[in-house]
Amino acid sequence: MPRTIDRAARLEEISQAVEAIARSDGFSAVTFRGIAERLGASTTVVTHLFGSRDELLDYVIDRSIARRCADIEAEIEDTVGGAAIRSIATAVVLNLDDDTHRFWLALVMGADLEPVVRKHLDRFNQWWDDLVFKHAKELAPNSDPEAVVDAINVIVTGLIVSGVETDALWSQQRRHAALDRLLAALDI
Amino acid sequence: MPRTIDRAARLEEISQAVEAIARSDGFSAVTFRGIAERLGASTTVVTHLFGSRDELLDYVIDRSIARRCADIEAEIEDTVGGAAIRSIATAVVLNLDDDTHRFWLALVMGADLEPVVRKHLDRFNQWWDDLVFKHAKELAPNSDPEAVVDAINVIVTGLIVSGVETDALWSQQRRHAALDRLLAALDI
């Protein structure tokens, strides 16, 4: 296999291992040794590509979040205002899978102890808030766009975590109904 | 010190150590050795009181949840219906501290891999749902109590996790405003 393809495949494997460890045991459990064990390889597989644990986390989290942002933006298409907010919320709550939700929750839990996690989470939240705010400004003139952003964040976060918490009970249909009901209550 | 007091003090110390480890690194990081290290003692301090890790987790989680349930029940006092739901939601979101919120989030993250965590989380959720449902039935006759329970769960969960995620940004005042706005939107 050519060297460049080999490198891309390795980065993909390593990223998936980091995400899997973070999802089940949190970021504090992500170590070079743990990744190597999961890949059935020696730690040099990782140290060959990353000079430090922070460098590794920086790469993996950045890559994962960039993909999610692209997914979300694709859902908005040409909609604006309430329709766009509805598309964004639906994309995040109903279209992203349980693994993605768990990885995001691991970021939330890990941000306090790991500055590199905090950096990416804050950057993502800023991007998200700006996106929702832009469309909240297009709603009825008497609505407060900042309050709409807060309410949307509470609803989306609550639906994601409720889904992770009791996956068996919260069917897609039930999540969809709760999302619809809450958005309707906010006139969105 | 009499033996019984010594035992109660040890149980308290051990419980606090378990909660602290779970909050920062998740339940998978809770080990007899880790607890002993945190207490600056040998593992026999733990093994003397608990025959297995599951027995230890069972005790600590049960104790922690029982205290929270008592706190929540105390807030309801004589209120019913919407006033009771408002009291319960406020108690959980605004009166419980960040450590309690983080411990609950560790339960959510740990439930998938640890049956003993799942057992207590499911039991707590059942208790909580029954409590909210009882008061949701007292709301306007045309409202659907089950849908109200779902909406309240989404809102409460979303507010707790938003607070954990960006503690510095979500002041008590901002959480309070978001909670009021969302409950008002639901006519509660």
Side-chain angles (χ1 to χ4, degrees):
Chain A
M1 205 158 49
R3 193 173 170 80
T4 50
I5 292 180
D6 189 46
R7 187 168 182 278
R10 271 298 179 205
L11 285 170
E12 181 70 38
E13 271 184 349
I14 291 170
S15 298
Q16 287 183 9
V18 170
E19 290 180 18
I21 296 168
R23 280 198 304 266
S24 66
D25 295 322
F27 277 98
S28 59
V30 175
T31 60
F32 281 9
R33 182 182 295 210
I35 296 163
E37 272 173 18
R38 191 170 269 264
L39 299 179
S42 86
T43 54
T44 54
V45 161
V46 189
T47 55
H48 179 65
L49 289 163
F50 297 102
S52 70
R53 184 171 170 279
D54 268 4
E55 199 185 304
L56 165 76
L57 291 181
D58 199 49
Y59 172 80
V60 173
I61 299 169
D62 186 60
R63 170 181 168 283
S64 173
I65 289 181
R67 288 183 183 186
R68 296 298 92 74
C69 291
D71 291 345
I72 295 165
E73 277 177 339
E75 290 294 324
I76 303 176
E77 293 180 348
D78 302 332
T79 57
V80 289
I85 292 175
R86 197 170 270 274
S87 298
I88 299 165
T90 306
V92 171
V93 172
L94 298 170
N95 300 2
L96 297 183
D97 61 16
D98 192 52
D99 278 355
T100 304
H101 287 162
R102 284 184 172 272
F103 184 68
W104 169 79
L105 210 44
L107 290 172
V108 170
M109 292 292 279
D112 225 35
L113 292 177
E114 308 248 16
V116 61
V117 174
R118 168 60 65 204
K119 179 185 80 175
H120 286 287
L121 188 63
D122 285 352
R123 198 183 286 170
F124 171 75
N125 284 336
Q126 190 60 56
W127 174 85
W128 168 270
D129 283 358
D130 288 348
L131 181 67
V132 179
F133 185 78
K134 187 177 85 180
H135 292 287
K137 279 194 301 183
E138 307 298 322
L139 296 173
N142 63 338
S143 73
D144 172 354
E146 286 192 6
V148 171
V149 173
D150 280 0
I152 293 296
N153 287 347
V154 168
I155 292 168
V156 166
T157 302
L159 280 161
I160 289 172
V161 180
S162 297
V164 169
E165 186 177 6
T166 52
D167 196 37
L169 297 174
W170 278 79
S171 64
Q172 284 289 84
Q173 200 178 5
R174 185 167 162 202
R175 280 190 239 196
H176 210 142
L179 178 61
D180 276 350
R181 184 186 165 84
L182 285 158
L183 292 176
L186 293 167
D187 293 321
I188 291 170
Chain B
M1 208 157 48
R3 193 173 172 81
T4 49
I5 293 181
D6 189 46
R7 187 169 181 278
R10 271 297 180 207
L11 285 170
E12 180 70 37
E13 271 185 348
I14 291 168
S15 297
Q16 287 183 9
V18 170
E19 291 180 17
I21 296 167
R23 280 198 304 266
S24 64
D25 296 322
F27 276 98
S28 60
V30 175
T31 60
F32 281 9
R33 182 182 295 210
I35 296 163
E37 273 172 18
R38 191 171 268 265
L39 298 179
S42 88
T43 54
T44 54
V45 161
V46 189
T47 55
H48 178 65
L49 290 163
F50 297 101
S52 70
R53 184 171 170 279
D54 268 4
E55 198 185 303
L56 165 76
L57 291 181
D58 199 49
Y59 171 81
V60 173
I61 299 169
D62 187 59
R63 171 179 168 282
S64 173
I65 289 181
R67 288 183 182 186
R68 296 298 91 77
C69 290
D71 292 345
I72 295 165
E73 278 178 338
E75 290 294 323
I76 303 176
E77 294 180 347
D78 303 331
T79 57
V80 288
I85 292 175
R86 195 170 272 274
S87 298
I88 298 165
T90 306
V92 171
V93 172
L94 299 169
N95 300 3
L96 296 184
D97 62 16
D98 192 53
D99 277 357
T100 304
H101 288 163
R102 285 184 171 272
F103 184 69
W104 169 78
L105 209 44
L107 291 171
V108 170
M109 292 292 280
D112 226 34
L113 292 176
E114 309 248 16
V116 61
V117 174
R118 168 61 63 205
K119 179 185 80 175
H120 285 287
L121 188 63
D122 284 352
R123 197 183 289 171
F124 171 75
N125 284 336
Q126 191 60 58
W127 174 85
W128 168 270
D129 283 0
D130 288 348
L131 181 67
V132 178
F133 185 78
K134 187 177 84 177
H135 293 288
K137 280 194 301 182
E138 307 298 322
L139 297 173
N142 63 338
S143 73
D144 172 354
E146 285 192 6
V148 171
V149 173
D150 279 0
I152 293 296
N153 287 347
V154 168
I155 292 168
V156 166
T157 302
L159 280 162
I160 289 172
V161 180
S162 297
V164 169
E165 186 177 7
T166 52
D167 195 38
L169 296 174
W170 279 78
S171 64
Q172 284 289 85
Q173 199 177 7
R174 187 168 161 201
R175 279 191 239 196
H176 210 142
L179 177 60
D180 276 350
R181 183 187 166 84
L182 286 158
L183 292 176
L186 292 167
D187 293 321
I188 290 169

